[in-house]
Amino acid sequence: MSIKVAVPVKDESLEIVTRTGRAPFFAIFEFDGNEFKLLGLNENTHAGEHEHEHSHEHGHQEEHTADEVEHHHKHVKASKVDDCDYIVVRALGPNMEDALKLAGVKIIKVSKKDGEKAPEVLEKVKEQLK
């Protein structure tokens, strides 16, 4: 049985983006229990929608409400992250966290010391996927 894993990334370089909801793409990998295969990059519709809407000089955090969770859930589905079994992230706001849980996606948190690019970080979390 294969497992699908999403990782928030900047672009084809597969560099991990710390703020999950603001990542331009989600790299989608298939894990067969041994190796990871990149299936593709899915555009993060949430990041695109908010690109010009918010100034992030002072950070940005929406209120944690049912409406915001539903808003994030819509984008989780549009970005096809809801098709994944897991998402590997560095940081996650409460609305995105609840939206992912609503979609049934299990969250694995990593830190910057685990690596800069998706493939190296995925190697470190392999055991959590079995």
Side-chain angles (χ1 to χ4, degrees):
M1 183 183 118
S2 67
I3 295 169
K4 285 174 84 175
V5 183
V7 183
V9 297
K10 180 176 161 184
D11 53 27
E12 295 82 15
S13 72
L14 301 180
E15 184 180 323
I16 295 177
V17 174
T18 297
R19 299 243 6 235
T20 302
R22 299 291 178 247
F25 299 96
F26 292 104
I28 309 298
F29 291 86
E30 185 174 61
F31 180 58
D32 64 9
N34 189 34
E35 293 182 345
F36 291 94
K37 175 185 171 194
L38 179 64
L39 299 178
L41 294 181
N42 293 358
E43 183 182 351
N44 178 2
T45 60
H46 185 261
E49 178 182 290
H50 291 281
E51 194 173 340
H52 302 291
E53 193 175 302
H54 301 293
S55 166
H56 296 287
E57 289 174 29
H58 303 290
H60 165 71
Q61 184 67 48
E62 296 105 346
E63 285 185 55
H64 188 203
T65 65
D67 285 348
E68 279 296 331
V69 170
E70 183 53 40
H71 170 81
H72 283 68
H73 185 249
K74 178 183 84 172
H75 288 290
V76 165
K77 290 177 77 151
S79 303
K80 294 185 176 58
V81 173
D82 64 327
D83 290 343
C84 296
D85 301 290
Y86 292 89
I87 187 167
V88 176
V89 302
R90 285 191 188 147
L92 204 54
N95 293 314
M96 182 61 106
E97 184 170 356
D98 286 353
L100 288 163
K101 287 177 180 173
L102 187 62
V105 180
K106 295 174 199 79
I107 299 162
I108 297 176
K109 292 187 179 177
V110 295
S111 69
K112 210 167 181 130
K113 68 176 172 41
D114 291 316
E116 291 296 321
K117 299 199 179 214
E120 65 183 312
V121 170
L122 289 172
E123 285 299 319
K124 292 189 176 174
V125 302
K126 249 186 190 181
E127 294 306 312
Q128 295 179 57
L129 301 174
K130 294 182 178 179

